[in-house]
Amino acid sequence: MPKTFEPKLVSLLKEGLTLKMFFHDALAGIIVGIVAFPLAIAFAIASGVKPEQGLITAVIAGFLISLFSGSRVQIGGPTGAFIVIVFGIVQKYGYEGLALATIMAGILLIIMGFARLGDAIKFIPYPVTVGFTSGIAVIIFVTQVRDLFGLNIAGLPNHFLEKCLSYFIHLSSFNLYAFGLGVLTILIIVMWRKVTDKLPGPLIAIIVTTLIVKLFHLPVETIGLRFGVVPNHIPMPRIPEIHLKTILSLTSPAITIALLAGIESLLSAVVADGMTGRRHRSNMELVAQGIANIASPLFGGIPATGAIARTATNIKNGGKTPISGIIHAATVCILFVFLGPLASLIPMATLAGILVVVAYNMSEWHLFMKILRTSKSDVFILLATFLLTILVDLTVAIEVGVVLSALLFVRRMTEVTQVNVLNGSLSDEENPEDQKAFGEENIPQGVEIYEITGPFFFGAVDTFKNALSQLKRHPQALIILMRHVPVMDASGLNALEDALRTFSRGKVKIILCGVQTQPLAVIKNSAIVKFLPEDRIIPELSEAINKARQIISL
């Protein structure tokens, strides 16, 4: 097996695991497991599924991601980024549809990994990533308004604007106790960081607010009132019902899950690389995510990916190997078994407060504002992706964002590509190479030199054609200088072939000069050789001018 597809745990076992390393990893894993426990419950409820399904995901997917991960310190499980997608799929297709879509996404991730697309995912433009991440953060916040304010709303609409309207209509049912608990939760999480990093703020907030509700019998909704008693066991695996029609209808959601899982897990791995100084194996990471997302729904779980915040917590607490991620999953499992039923006492407003903090941290507002101060095209892509995520759909937002980025990139490259006329003597030319080529003479009468600068691709073809069309008279020899053309595509080749065919009819001899490696290979493998003998493809400008002199002297 190539090392590209060797899990980091296997590499570690080959190197040898010391007792000291195991101790540090065990401590970090326990801390991260305690952090993950309340978050898993909160993410599940916000996603429209039962609280235990988040815990199952943290245990099953968290274990498998660490077992097969291409990163030494990746922590996997349910994340805030999936809340919007999972909620929408559950509302439309039910949990069975979500389970099947997640398995399909897992298969896609494995295929992407073995197809070595790990590096390709990293090329999704930065404004697109920030745009949809910030959009998801806004949606997470808006979905928590009902529980944060204790509003009495039976069925919450799916659409963003409809949610906001529903909140406004039911504002009269505002519950001051619930709002107070939510605010207290936020304050505890924010202030607890200044006290210690060893115990997670969300866990302290849950303990404090749950005790307050229990002691003072506050009239607020709890997990138990909405979902009943939380079970404390992982069910036996079960394969969801599979129908061809259902598979076809779930293709788009599955692709969305796969893309988001791939993007977030690789972003998390890159962040971990920056903190540890190591390098992850991106393709193996995709395979690990695929395995985890196939297994998670078999046990009743939801989509999972690498969690940036929990991975950073792992590193900060001394985690150095996948052992810490495995122990993190074991810790969540132990807490699930012994504390699962007690989770029914947690106030919904507390979970809303936790998710408000998650949404704020996820929003990356400082990066959002930073991009707003950059080029207009980047701002346009950012805002388009952001608004489409909120108002339409995450899948549409990513697709449109990537397409817009590609189109604007083509536009920029088109602007960079220029076709200029070299029309002077020694005194007119500033380029030393050109000075050497021209010597003390002007360009010979009957010779024209056109220089293409930049990529010669479909976006630059019109520029090339327009430049040639401005020739007032047909010269005897036309030198096309391509020393600054790094790449040429089929459209550029076709434009060049058209020019050769047209000028050959007018008895104009074309000389190509300074052709770089990639364009030269394209030219030699094409039909251009019919119109362009090999002795008219010349490396140096001085040689090309001498060749032109020979042509006009005939």
Side-chain angles (χ1 to χ4, degrees), residues 167-186:
Y167 294 148
F168 180 76
I169 293 171
H170 293 87
L171 201 57
S172 58
S173 63
F174 171 74
N175 185 325
L176 183 60
Y177 296 108
F179 182 69
L181 289 171
V183 172
L184 178 61
T185 299
I186 295 169

Side-chain angles (χ1 to χ4, degrees), residues 363-410:
S363 68
E364 297 184 324
W365 62 268
H366 56 290
L367 298 178
F368 194 95
M369 299 303 295
K370 182 180 178 181
I371 295 175
L372 287 178
R373 294 191 291 270
T374 59
S375 66
K376 290 181 181 178
S377 58
D378 284 337
V379 171
F380 178 65
I381 293 167
L382 173 73
L383 294 178
T385 309
F386 175 73
L387 292 173
L388 285 171
T389 301
I390 293 173
L391 301 175
V392 184
D393 179 72
L394 182 61
T395 309
V396 174
I398 294 175
E399 290 171 351
V400 171
V402 170
V403 170
L404 283 175
S405 299
L407 291 174
L408 289 169
F409 176 77
V410 169

